[in-house]
Amino acid sequence: MKLYYAAGASSLASRIMLHEAGLDAAFERVDLGTKVTETGADFRTINPAGCVPALLLDDGQVLTENLAVLFWISGLAPQLAPEAPFGTIRLLEALAVIATEVHKPLRPFFTPAASDAEKARAAVAISARLKLITGVLAGPHLFGSRFTAADAYLFVTLWWVRHFGVAVPPALTAFCARIMERSHVRAALAEEALSEKPVGRRLG
Ligand SMILES: N[C@@H](CCC(=O)N[C@@H](CS)C(=O)NCC(=O)O)C(=O)O
C-alpha cells in the first residue's frame, strides 16, 4: 500500500499508525499547493478532493478521509484497537470528534484570509472541546493503556493547536509529551523532517 502525505499534515497520523501496526507501506509526498506528487502524478486523479491522507491499497482501491484511513489501519492491528465491549464504536466516536470538533474547526488558522475574530471564535470552540476530551482520557491514552488511532490523530491535531497558540489543558500537554516518547512517533516525525515544534505551513 502507499500513503499519500504532506509533511506535518493530518496524514502524519496515518503514517504513525502504519508504523505502530508494523505494516509495510510506501510514502509519496504531495505538494498541496500544486496537487502534484513527488513522482509527478496529478494527485487529483488519486483523490479528486485534493486532500491528504489518501491510502492506495494493494488491490488498487483508494481510501480517503482521516477517519476512514485510520479506522481501516486499526482493523489490521487488533493490538491497537480499544478493547471490547464497544471498542470499535468508541474508536469511531473518538475519531469523529477529533475530525469534526478539533481538526475541522482549525481551518481559520490555515486560511490566510481568515479574520482574527474567526480565529478567536475557533480557538474558544476548540479549547472547550479539548476540556471535554480531557474528561475522557482514561490513563496514558484516550482508551487507557492501549495506544490507538484516536491517540495518533489527537496528537497531530494538538500539534497544530499548540502551534497556533490555542489553549491546551495541561492534561493534554502531558498527553502529547507521552506520545512523543513513542519510538514509532519519533520515527514518523523524522521521516517528515519535523522537529518537536509544529510547522506553520498551510496544511489543515
Ligand atoms: N476531510 C478530510 C480533510 C483532510 C485535510 O484537511 N487535509 C489537508 C491536510 S491536513 C489537505 O490536504 N489540505 C489541502 C487542501 O485542502 O487543498 C479528512 O479528514 O481527511
Side-chain angles (χ1 to χ4, degrees), residues 92-135:
L92 264 183
E93 188 180 49
L95 292 172
V97 166
I98 298 162
T100 62
E101 308 292 341
V102 185
H103 183 181
K104 189 76 177 176
L106 277 165
R107 187 148 289 259
F109 293 97
F110 291 105
T111 307
S115 67
D116 287 346
E118 285 173 292
K119 289 180 193 166
R121 269 196 302 277
V124 169
I126 291 165
S127 290
R129 179 51 77 153
L130 292 180
K131 278 199 192 116
L132 294 182
I133 291 175
T134 302

Side-chain angles (χ1 to χ4, degrees), residues 7-184:
S10 51
S11 44
L12 175 60
S14 295
R15 182 191 289 270
I16 290 171
M17 277 301 287
L18 288 167
H19 290 334
E20 291 278 354
L23 296 170
D24 256 347
F27 298 90
E28 185 157 339
R29 190 173 181 137
V30 180
D31 181 326
L32 293 178
T34 60
K35 308 294 181 196
V36 175
T37 77
E38 67 181 282
T39 63
D42 175 0
F43 182 54
R44 287 198 191 277
T45 64
I46 296 146
N47 180 9
C51 292
V52 292
L55 187 65
L56 173 64
L57 306 185
D58 293 343
D59 67 0
Q61 292 194 73
V62 176
L63 281 180
T64 63
E65 295 296 310
N66 282 288
L67 190 156
V69 173
L70 291 168
F71 189 70
W72 190 81
I73 298 170
S74 289
L76 299 178
Q79 75 278 13
L80 297 174
E83 287 173 83
F86 263 54
T88 304
I89 198 69
R90 290 296 178 205
L91 176 62
L92 264 183
E93 188 180 49
L95 292 172
V97 166
I98 298 162
T100 62
E101 308 292 341
V102 185
H103 183 181
K104 189 76 177 176
L106 277 165
R107 187 148 289 259
F109 293 97
F110 291 105
T111 307
S115 67
D116 287 346
E118 285 173 292
K119 289 180 193 166
R121 269 196 302 277
V124 169
I126 291 165
S127 290
R129 179 51 77 153
L130 292 180
K131 278 199 192 116
L132 294 182
I133 291 175
T134 302
V136 300
L137 258 184
H141 307 110
L142 281 169
F143 291 99
S145 58
R146 272 192 194 188
F147 177 89
T148 72
D151 296 302
Y153 195 12
L154 181 61
F155 171 75
V156 172
T157 53
L158 286 173
W159 180 275
W160 302 322
V161 167
R162 290 183 299 154
H163 170 75
F164 292 121
V166 175
V168 173
L172 290 181
T173 304
F175 165 85
C176 287
R178 283 194 295 277
I179 302 297
M180 273 296 293
E181 283 166 13
R182 301 183 72 84
S183 59
H184 290 305

